[in-house]
Amino acid sequence: MPHSGGTVCVLHLDKLKLVHFRNYELLELERISENVNVIFGKNAQGKTNLIEAVSICAGGKSFRAGVDAKAIMDGCKSAYIYAGYVFSGRPHFIEALIEKGSKSFKKDGIPQKSIKDMLGNLYSVVFSPEDMRTAKESPALRRAFLDGEISKIRPSYVDALRKYTEIIAEKNSVLKKSAGKGVSELLDVYNEQLARYIRIILRNRQSYLKKLNEYVKETHGEISGGCEQISLKYGGTIDKDDIEGQLKRLMPRERHDMQVTLGPHRDDLRIFIDGQEARSYASQGQLRTVMLAIKIACLKILADATGHTPIMLLDDVFSELDAVRRNNLVKSLTGFQSFITTADKSDAKRIENALVLNVSAGKVTVL
Ligand SMILES: Nc1ncnc2c1ncn2[C@@H]1O[C@H](COP(=O)(O)OP(=O)(O)OP(=O)(O)O)[C@@H](O)[C@H]1O
Ligand SMILES: [Mg+2]
């Protein structure tokens, strides 16, 4: 169940239609469980593609790297996704049309202007093997993760991030062209604008992280049943209590480096297991469990913040967990609709009351 009190409405997908989407020529799926859906099939049959289609309708973009046009079935002109769902007890639908070089969305038949408009509809959280990179590789991936989750709760955060990035780009170009000489006034103007957005970004990231820290302790314990201590820290490069002062003091260094070297675009989300930095210390299994715990924590935060239970999309992680962790994971998803892909048939049988969808060469049958 969602973590805290208050009324939480169960959000769930109840229809998925795909036309010329990846290896799906035509799929019309109307039998979907409100609880656990196990998507089972051999390799390269279309399991991840199915989850990807839901994630595109939910967040406006794929969790997979690469250009949108790749999602159009080879030899076709466009791909179409229809995701029907129940929100606050009422039916709604999102449609996505992917064409070469463009992508457009409708909600209940009404065109949506931007990805930001898409964020308050079909709430979801994805966990895929790509997330192991988030745990291990560059801070940019962890910032993108954090920003993505905050944006689901607060779509206006997307605007603050965009403005901040634009001003940084302009300031960098001024620093590069003139090495900052004779443009002090201009740099002051940039700093004044930057201070405003830095404040918004830091406030949002730090308050999200505070909640994430509280929940992740609980979700990590639920999955691992273990005694490891997980803590998340914001690796900031600017102190939020003296933003203006620091920006001023940084000017000589920025002139020398000819770029903005500190700020939210350089910050990190640091993950610790028993006080040790996870990215350089943890085993594969520990990292996977921590990332999974983080994602389930995100699910619960999103439920608390919006009053709707998001959909959990789990790609390919199930078979890599031991039996105890698998059971604990399914338990911790009670009350949420979930989609779990696996290539291992025995996984599908092990989950009680799950609806098993068998995927074979872009065709789905309900077992
Ligand atoms: N644009 C496209 N047109 C046609 N087929 C595509 C397109 N994009 C991907 N595919 C194919 O879709 C197939 C299934 O991909 P998917 O990633 O969903 O497999 P999967 O069932 O998740 O497999 P695995 O168990 O290996 O993860 C692949 O064979 C891939 O080549
Ligand atoms: Mg896959």
Side-chain angles (χ1 to χ4, degrees):
M1 280 304 287
H3 178 76
S4 67
T7 342
V8 180
C9 289
V10 179
L11 160 69
H12 65 95
L13 189 81
D14 64 355
K15 182 173 177 186
L16 186 67
K17 180 173 174 181
L18 307 177
V19 183
H20 296 160
F21 180 81
R22 295 211 184 258
N23 68 333
Y24 289 91
E25 185 161 10
L26 174 66
L27 170 75
E28 284 184 279
L29 186 61
E30 301 208 13
R31 248 195 90 192
I32 301 176
S33 165
E34 286 182 33
N35 305 303
V36 187
N37 296 275
V38 176
I39 301 166
F40 154 74
K42 296 202 173 89
N43 293 136
Q45 300 304 307
K47 302 184 295 297
T48 303
N49 294 347
L50 207 63
I51 281 194
E52 183 188 25
V54 179
S55 81
I56 291 174
C57 285
K61 58 178 192 251
S62 171
F63 60 87
R64 274 175 160 166
V67 289
D68 294 328
K70 287 264 183 229
I72 304 171
M73 179 175 245
D74 294 340
C76 298
K77 280 204 168 71
S78 61
Y80 171 83
I81 312 169
Y82 174 106
Y85 61 103
V86 176
F87 189 95
S88 286
R90 291 196 193 91
H92 292 278
F93 59 99
I94 302 262
E95 295 164 284
L97 181 68
I98 305 167
E99 292 167 299
K100 292 204 170 75
S102 79
K103 190 172 52 171
S104 54
F105 294 95
K106 284 184 185 168
K107 184 195 168 192
D108 298 332
I110 299 162
Q112 303 291 290
K113 279 193 235 73
S114 65
I115 286 186
K116 197 180 101 186
D117 296 329
M118 299 288 299
L119 293 173
N121 304 316
L122 187 59
Y123 298 117
S124 76
V125 174
V126 182
F127 183 56
S128 79
E130 291 279 298
D131 287 304
M132 294 299 281
R133 291 184 54 219
T134 306
K136 265 197 292 207
E137 294 179 16
S138 85
L141 293 172
R142 287 183 289 283
R143 286 194 299 271
F145 152 68
L146 199 53
D147 290 338
E149 291 305 320
I150 297 168
S151 304
K152 291 179 195 172
I153 291 173
R154 202 181 290 261
S156 65
Y157 180 73
V158 175
D159 294 328
L161 272 180
R162 201 195 55 240
K163 289 295 283 179
Y164 174 77
T165 314
E166 280 169 12
I167 303 165
I168 290 287
E170 284 177 33
K171 190 175 163 188
N172 273 338
S173 124
V174 167
L175 284 164
K176 234 168 227 113
K177 272 193 214 129
S178 60
K181 285 193 190 79
V183 287
S184 293
E185 276 176 28
L186 191 54
L187 292 179
D188 281 339
V189 174
Y190 284 136
N191 282 355
E192 205 178 297
Q193 294 175 355
L194 280 178
R196 183 169 159 223
Y197 294 111
I198 291 174
R199 194 163 285 117
I200 297 175
I201 295 169
L202 292 185
R203 202 195 304 128
N204 278 288
R205 284 188 185 167
Q206 286 172 356
S207 79
Y208 189 87
L209 211 55
K210 190 162 169 269
K211 284 186 222 122
L212 197 56
N213 242 320
E214 289 165 15
Y215 277 86
V216 91
K217 286 188 174 48
E218 182 185 299
T219 55
H220 189 269
E222 273 171 21
I223 300 169
S224 71
C227 43
E228 286 164 334
Q229 280 299 317
I230 307 300
S231 66
L232 308 172
K233 291 196 180 111
Y234 191 68
T237 51
I238 287 204
D239 177 2
K240 74 174 188 323
D241 297 323
D242 179 30
I243 299 172
E244 280 86 356
Q246 281 175 94
L247 289 179
K248 206 163 192 60
R249 288 194 295 281
L250 277 169
M251 273 226 228
R253 175 170 164 186
E254 290 178 341
R255 286 197 166 107
H256 175 267
D257 295 344
M258 294 200 281
Q259 61 171 325
V260 187
T261 47
L262 301 182
H265 63 301
R266 291 295 172 95
D267 292 352
D268 197 0
L269 158 66
R270 300 177 65 195
I271 306 167
F272 294 87
I273 302 176
D274 289 336
Q276 304 265 18
E277 188 122 35
R279 58 187 295 212
S280 51
Y281 160 87
S283 74
Q284 281 288 107
Q286 278 177 311
L287 273 184
R288 185 171 298 109
T289 307
V290 168
M291 279 313 293
L292 197 50
I294 288 178
K295 291 295 176 121
I296 294 169
C298 292
L299 197 73
K300 295 188 175 185
I301 293 172
L302 196 50
D304 275 359
T306 64
H308 300 271
T309 57
I311 299 169
M312 185 80 199
L313 304 170
L314 287 169
D315 189 26
D316 245 9
V317 281
F318 211 60
S319 53
E320 296 185 48
L321 297 171
D322 62 38
V324 174
R325 287 182 189 212
R326 261 196 311 256
N327 285 338
N328 292 344
L329 169 62
V330 172
K331 247 188 259 159
S332 75
L333 292 175
T334 308
F336 296 91
Q337 186 184 38
S338 59
F339 292 82
I340 302 173
T341 71
T342 180
D344 183 348
K345 195 165 192 176
S346 53
D347 282 345
K349 287 193 191 140
R350 270 195 288 252
I351 306 175
E352 270 176 56
N353 303 324
L355 181 73
V356 182
L357 305 169
N358 183 222
V359 181
S360 176
K363 300 249 179 308
V364 178
T365 43
V366 179
L367 289 188

